[in-house]
């Protein structure tokens, strides 16, 4: 039933896109379509963001046309942007995609080798509406993001110490909503709380204790 639903949505999406800007249609068609409810974390990232085992870089022209909101521009070629997920908003009036942004420059501390997830919304004509960083990951940061259609729950963990069996961390939880106008609204932020991260050798990843 899930496959049938996605097939119907995909056909409708392509039919609808034919009447739109061909360049934007080509850009949107590079993203992976998902069901309305899905999770992005270390265990699902490669499945959602790789295509035939490879990550697909977005061209500089497409970055400038469809991603370039200050300060997320690529003016000095400091970043790489990869195709990710086309979010099923169950409407023909808006598009929402998730892009991976990679930092090229070698920085110190928790900004080094930073991978960010950007949620971007567009009108049906391909006009940029809004952008929001919804997660970041590297040796310091761990994100866990759940999508429920137009609602997003983000758990962001910052590791505060390293090379210990149990490492202290800070945990921040935010909830977002993509409203009918395509604006990404932060509808709830929980106070940052303390926690402990441990290494799970079975999955070879860090997790909350």
């Amino acid at each position: 039933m899930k496959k049938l639903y996605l097939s119907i949505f995909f056909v409708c999406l392509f039919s609808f896109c034919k009447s739109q800007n061909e360049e934007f249609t080509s850009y949107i068609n590079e993203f992976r379509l998902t069901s309305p409810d899905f999770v992005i974390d270390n265990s699902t990232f490669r499945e959602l963001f790789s295509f035939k085992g490879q990550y697909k870089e977005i061209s500089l022209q497409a970055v400038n046309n469809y991603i370039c909101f200050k300060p997320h521009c690529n003016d000095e070629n400091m970043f790489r942007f990869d195709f990710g997920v086309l979010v099923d908003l169950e409407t023909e009036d808006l598009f929402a995609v998730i892009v991976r942004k990679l930092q090229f420059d070698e920085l110190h501390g928790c900004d080094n080798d930073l991978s960010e997830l950007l949620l971007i919304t567009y009108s049906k004509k391909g006009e940029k509406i809004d952008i929001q960083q919804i997660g970041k990951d590297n040796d310091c940061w761990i994100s866990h993001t759940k999508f429920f259609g137009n609602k997003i729950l983000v758990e962001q963990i910052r590791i505060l110490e390293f090379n210990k069996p149990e490492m202290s961390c800070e945990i921040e939880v935010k909830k977002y909503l993509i409203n009918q106008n395509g604006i990404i609204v932060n509808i709830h932020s929980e106070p940052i709380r303390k926690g402990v991260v441990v290494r799970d050798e079975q999955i070879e990843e860090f997790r909350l204790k």
Side-chain angles (χ1 to χ4, degrees):
M1 191 66 184
K2 181 179 177 182
K3 291 182 178 179
L4 176 60
Y5 168 77
L6 288 176
S7 298
I8 294 172
F9 179 83
F10 208 45
V11 169
C12 292
L13 174 65
F14 277 116
S15 299
F16 178 75
C17 281
K18 285 181 181 179
S19 63
Q20 307 305 315
N21 180 292
E22 290 185 2
E23 185 179 301
F24 178 69
T25 301
S26 177
Y27 166 74
I28 283 293
N29 288 346
E30 293 293 331
F31 288 86
R32 184 188 304 280
L33 180 65
T34 66
S35 60
D37 300 344
F38 63 98
V39 175
I40 303 176
D41 60 15
N42 286 336
S43 65
T44 65
F45 185 87
R46 189 167 184 81
E47 176 186 350
L48 292 172
F49 283 79
S50 68
F51 300 80
K52 297 182 179 179
Q54 301 292 324
Y55 296 109
K56 290 196 301 186
E57 184 176 0
I58 301 173
S59 71
L60 182 58
Q61 179 180 349
V63 169
N64 290 332
N65 289 342
Y66 304 117
I67 301 174
C68 194
F69 295 73
K70 294 288 187 179
H72 299 286
C73 290
N74 205 29
D75 297 336
E76 300 177 4
N77 294 324
M78 293 174 58
F79 309 108
R80 165 177 167 152
F81 296 85
D82 290 341
F83 288 102
V85 176
L86 173 63
V87 181
D88 182 2
L89 296 177
E90 300 182 302
T91 177
E92 292 184 346
D93 294 327
L94 298 170
F95 291 99
V97 301
I98 306 169
V99 168
R100 177 173 74 157
K101 174 186 174 185
L102 295 171
Q103 173 78 49
F104 280 157
D105 285 0
E106 291 187 8
L107 302 176
H108 297 290
C110 287
D111 290 327
N112 191 45
D113 293 330
L114 189 64
S115 171
E116 301 174 66
L117 294 182
L118 304 179
L119 174 63
I120 309 171
T121 56
Y122 306 95
S123 72
K124 62 183 180 182
K125 295 181 180 180
E127 300 160 324
K128 293 179 290 189
I129 299 175
D130 204 0
I131 187 169
Q132 175 67 50
Q133 182 204 75
I134 57 170
K136 51 187 177 181
D137 293 86
N138 60 9
D139 290 339
C140 287
W141 299 97
I142 304 171
S143 64
H144 183 88
T145 306
K146 294 182 180 180
F147 275 78
F148 309 91
N150 67 336
K151 300 180 181 65
I152 306 104
L153 176 65
V154 180
E155 179 184 73
Q156 184 72 64
I157 300 169
R158 180 178 183 179
I159 301 174
L160 301 176
E161 55 184 356
F162 300 91
N163 301 319
K164 294 182 178 181
E166 297 186 355
M167 298 171 288
S168 62
C169 68
E170 294 178 339
I171 306 159
E172 185 174 17
V173 176
K174 293 185 177 182
K175 295 179 182 178
Y176 297 95
L177 171 72
I178 303 174
N179 70 20
Q180 61 184 3
N181 297 317
I183 303 300
I184 304 165
V185 183
N186 182 351
I187 58 174
H188 178 72
S189 294
E190 295 183 6
I192 296 175
R193 69 181 193 274
K194 299 291 186 180
V196 174
V197 167
V198 296
R199 173 79 174 180
D200 190 326
E201 296 299 337
Q202 290 185 341
I203 60 175
E204 297 183 346
E205 297 287 354
F206 293 110
R207 62 170 177 80
L208 288 173
K209 181 178 178 181

